[in-house]
Amino acid sequence: MRTSNPDTDAPTTQPRTNRPARGFGSAGADACLVVLQGQSLGRRVDLGERALTLGRAAECDFHIDERSVSRQHARIWRDHGGYRLKDLGSTNKTLLNDVPVGEVELKDGDHLTIGSCVLKFMERSSVEARYHDEIYQLATLDPLTGLYNRRHFLELFGRELQRSMRHRRPLSLLIVDLDHFKAINDCHGHVIGDAVLEQVGIALQAAVRREAIGARIGGEEFAIALPEHEPDAALVVSEQLRRAIETMPLQLTGGPCTVTVSVGVAAWRPSMRKTADLLRAADDALYRAKQAGRNRVVVAE
């Protein structure tokens, strides 16, 4: 077990910053795909400048884990202000509005079928797209902090774990818990408590890079998944986050207030086969941080 001591440890690198975005996600897409049938019903996939590959391979941007789907099944990319779809020589074909296609321009409202998965292409300017955007926000985001909610975080984290297991790539998990948060609610009321949680959510977004997956997973408990982070790198990020929250200016009803957090960090190991294994390791490290006096980071060995 490794512990960072807030009285002696100093940050070893400059803090990383990420573009502010709800749930650490992307913004500014011009079109989207919405899953109408199949896995992840209701999921929205934003389309931007980057090409999107759909298929059964784990490295695909849109992964469809189904035997009838080819490893590299289809691709969608931006072209002259619109979007085009191309079948990549799939075994069972790519259907557009129930018709097999090779390469075609997508139009607002088109239905794309890959295996049993049916997706609807929508331009973001349409009323229907805005409606689906609202549904997506309600289904995936915590309304108070704008971070991902627990259910959606576990879905995304599960995919990252599968990728780590498949390719033997690093993955670290941070569990962040506010210290003595009940006292804040008891002394200042739940409205102030909610304001503190919201500010902590903003601090989480600012302290980690864009590829991180951040969520509020409980009342005053947060989680951050850090793909491609070994334990030492995750410890640096965690300590930067702890310091950022400790020095965060907060004005409560009784005057200035300092809020601190305890952080448990765990890294994926080959013996871990389920998300619960990594969550349990990070939770155990968090418990040790609380027992050691709070306002500190503990990394599970």
Side-chain angles (χ1 to χ4, degrees):
M1 175 183 72
R2 275 172 291 171
T3 304
S4 72
N5 187 331
D7 298 323
T8 59
D9 291 354
T12 56
T13 64
Q14 292 298 314
R16 277 191 286 256
T17 59
N18 69 296
R19 180 176 62 188
R22 294 298 186 184
F24 303 171
S26 62
D30 294 324
C32 65
L33 299 171
V34 174
V35 180
L36 300 182
Q37 180 179 314
Q39 299 172 8
S40 302
L41 179 66
R43 177 185 172 193
R44 187 198 69 208
V45 182
D46 290 326
L47 300 174
E49 298 294 334
R50 183 171 173 267
L52 181 85
T53 303
L54 304 92
R56 183 163 46 88
E59 60 269 20
C60 285
D61 304 295
F62 188 91
H63 178 228
I64 306 173
D65 190 12
E66 187 179 319
R67 292 183 61 84
S68 62
V69 175
S70 297
R71 291 184 59 79
Q72 302 280 335
H73 200 104
R75 181 174 292 119
I76 297 173
W77 71 98
R78 188 163 184 164
D79 182 62
H80 297 99
Y83 288 89
R84 295 189 69 81
L85 164 72
K86 182 178 182 179
D87 181 82
L88 300 178
S90 64
T91 302
N92 294 315
K93 306 299 180 185
T94 300
L95 306 183
L96 187 70
N97 301 323
D98 298 323
V99 178
V101 294
E103 181 177 329
V104 66
E105 181 181 0
L106 290 170
K107 295 181 174 59
D108 188 36
D110 279 344
H111 284 200
L112 167 64
T113 304
I114 296 180
S116 64
C117 184
V118 180
L119 306 102
K120 187 169 185 177
F121 173 79
M122 291 185 293
E123 296 176 352
R124 294 298 296 275
S125 59
S126 71
V127 173
E128 189 175 8
R130 290 196 297 272
Y131 167 76
H132 278 284
D133 190 68
E134 289 293 326
I135 297 299
Y136 177 81
Q137 301 255 351
L138 290 171
T140 61
L141 301 184
D142 170 55
L144 179 62
T145 64
L147 299 172
Y148 289 130
N149 59 30
R150 182 183 181 90
R151 183 194 64 79
H152 194 58
F153 172 79
L154 291 176
E155 179 182 338
L156 297 176
F157 181 55
R159 292 179 201 159
E160 287 298 331
L161 180 60
Q162 290 298 316
R163 187 183 70 86
S164 293
M165 291 194 305
R166 204 172 272 118
H167 302 290
R168 292 294 191 266
R169 300 303 304 166
L171 173 65
S172 291
L173 174 66
L174 281 55
I175 302 294
V176 182
D177 191 83
L178 270 70
D179 297 325
H180 303 297
F181 183 68
K182 184 177 183 299
I184 294 176
N185 275 334
D186 291 345
C187 293
H188 304 283
H190 289 278
V191 172
I192 297 298
D194 285 351
V196 170
L197 291 172
E198 189 172 6
Q199 289 300 307
V200 170
I202 292 172
L204 261 67
Q205 293 190 45
V208 297
R209 66 184 189 178
R210 183 179 173 187
E211 291 80 2
I213 304 169
R216 181 186 176 199
I217 59 173
E220 65 269 25
E221 193 170 70
F222 300 82
I224 302 175
L226 294 174
E228 302 297 333
H229 276 62
E230 299 282 2
D232 288 343
L235 176 60
V236 171
V237 173
S238 301
E239 184 57 30
Q240 290 169 354
L241 174 62
R242 187 201 63 77
R243 290 176 182 270
I245 292 174
E246 184 181 29
T247 58
M248 188 170 58
L250 285 174
Q251 290 291 331
L252 303 187
T253 52
C257 176
T258 297
V259 174
T260 64
V261 294
S262 300
V263 186
V265 182
W268 173 78
R269 300 189 301 271
S271 60
M272 296 178 176
R273 311 304 300 175
K274 300 180 294 186
T275 56
D277 297 332
L278 198 46
L279 285 165
R280 188 178 304 111
D283 269 332
D284 288 345
L286 173 64
Y287 175 78
R288 293 175 183 272
K290 294 284 189 181
Q291 291 294 104
R294 297 179 169 84
N295 189 25
R296 66 194 63 239
V297 179
V298 171
V299 181
E301 294 290 352

